[in-house]
């Protein structure tokens, strides 16, 4: 009797991950490398949402590809990092809210971020030239270039809409990847620790694989610098907002105040970390990347680098006549970052954290 091939409801990328996971589930050689393999072992079949969950659990260290006896040219053609990376990028679009926005950033991320940043920078420069050209060189006085209320009117919606969009996307991802009755604080704590230490970005203890097939820890270090640099920059902006609105203490702020104490090391972390990731990524084995390149990751890393670099330049040159132009460029970069947040690589950290929470939850239930 001939076999009847039923049409798959999953995407081609989900089908490919399901195929490779079925082989891995029989092999299990890599089970000690990261969270993906223990999560896989709890499943017998891999539905679409299961594969999305596993894709977001993978940190693309590359270890399982170099360890695999079924990697190409073997006929099984197992390349787990590439299959998961391809599906991961696809999954961001699948869960994005509103869905029609996601494809806009899939191929043109760098140009959209650049165009948005330049538009806002030119708008601010035009605004200052029209209202008071002297304000552009009024060293140190940011609000002479653009009044505080005008800044809030432009940036509050640009920040709040992405927050809502990201929250709704995460809820979709969480719901579709399955229920978690009895989720405990211990699982959340475990996931937070794993995320904060990038536990699974170490290739089972050796580090990430490089093109020379020698693992090292530089990708993890650059990732840490970028992540904590970003958090410090966020703390800097938040503390400035509190000082302005709650303490009635407007900018400019001295070097010993929280906006500066958080902002300067945060900016340095962002610049060194993002530049390091760009450099490191160029030297990585192309076989670990998605076959279909979208530019999404590059747009995000370059935007982070621009964010840190323009922020630091503004800090060091704020007392010079270059202040106005630098402020406009920095605010344009911030705007570009905000609007691309829900539809670009920014979401990878949030989906990965959600996947780590699910992983901690499943493991605690499977091994109480
Ligand atoms: S990646 Fe290869 S070696 Fe590792 S579990 Fe899968 S099939 Fe086995
Ligand atoms: S690439 Fe690294 S994190 Fe991803 S599945 Fe393989 S071993 Fe795990």
């Amino acid at each position: 009797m001939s076999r009847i091939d039923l049409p798959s409801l999953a995407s081609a990328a989900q089908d490919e991950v399901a195929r490779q996971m079925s082989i891995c589930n029989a092999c299990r050689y890599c089970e000690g490398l990261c969270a993906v393999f223990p999560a896989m072992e709890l499943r017998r079949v891999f539905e679409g949402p299961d594969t999305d969950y596993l894709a977001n659990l993978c940190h693309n260290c590359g270890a399982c590809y170099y360890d695999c006896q079924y990697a190409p040219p073997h006929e099984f053609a197992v390349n787990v990092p590439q299959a998961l990376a391809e599906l991961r990028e696809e999954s961001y679009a699948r869960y994005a809210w509103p869905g029609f926005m996601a494809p806009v950033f899939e191929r043109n991320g760098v140009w959209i971020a650049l165009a948005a940043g330049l538009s806002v920078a030119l708008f601010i420069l035009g605004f200052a030239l029209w209202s008071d050209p002297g304000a552009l060189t009024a060293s140190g006085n940011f609000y002479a270039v653009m009044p505080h209320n005008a800044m809030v009117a432009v940036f509050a919606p640009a920040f709040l809409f992405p927050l809502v969009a990201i929250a709704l996307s995460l809820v979709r991802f969480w719901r579709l990847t399955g229920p978690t009755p009895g989720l405990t604080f211990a699982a959340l704590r475990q996931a937070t620790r794993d995320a904060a230490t990038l536990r699974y970005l170490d290739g089972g203890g050796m580090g990430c694989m490089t093109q020379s097939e020698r693992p090292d820890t530089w990708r993890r270090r650059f990732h840490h610098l970028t992540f904590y640099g970003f958090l410090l920059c966020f703390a800097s902006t938040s503390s400035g907002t509190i000082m302005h609105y709650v303490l009635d203490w407007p900018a400019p702020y001295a070097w010993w105040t929280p906006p500066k104490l958080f902002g300067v090391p945060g900016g340095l972390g962002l610049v060194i970390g993002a530049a390091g990731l760009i450099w490191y990524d160029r030297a990585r084995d192309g076989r670990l990347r998605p076959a279909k390149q979208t530019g999404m990751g590059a747009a995000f890393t370059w935007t982070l680098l621009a964010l840190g670099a323009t922020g630091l330049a503004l800090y060091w040159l704020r007392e010079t006549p270059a202040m106005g132009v630098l402020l406009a460029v920095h605010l344009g970069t911030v705007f570009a970052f905000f609007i691309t947040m829900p539809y670009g690589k920014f979401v990878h950290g949030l989906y990965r954290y959600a996947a780590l929470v699910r992983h901690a939850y499943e493991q605690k239930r499977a091994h109480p």
Side-chain angles (χ1 to χ4, degrees), residues 21 31 36 111 135 149 182 187 201 203 255 289 305 310 324 346 365:
M21 286 294 108
E31 65 183 355
V36 170
W111 297 109
N149 289 344
L201 198 69
W255 68 266
R289 297 196 185 116
L305 178 58
T310 56
F346 178 82
R365 281 175 82 93

Side-chain angles (χ1 to χ4, degrees), residues 23-24 27-30 37 64 67-70 78 80:
I23 298 169
C24 291
C27 166
R28 300 197 172 186
Y29 179 74
C30 297
F37 296 95
C64 62
D67 282 357
C68 186
Q69 59 269 39
Y70 302 120
V78 173
V80 174

Side-chain angles (χ1 to χ4, degrees), residues 270-292:
L270 264 188
V271 169
I272 299 169
L277 285 174
I278 291 167
W279 165 76
Y280 193 92
D281 206 42
R282 289 184 174 197
R284 282 205 97 196
D285 189 339
R287 291 170 296 182
L288 304 177
R289 297 196 185 116
K292 190 180 98 185

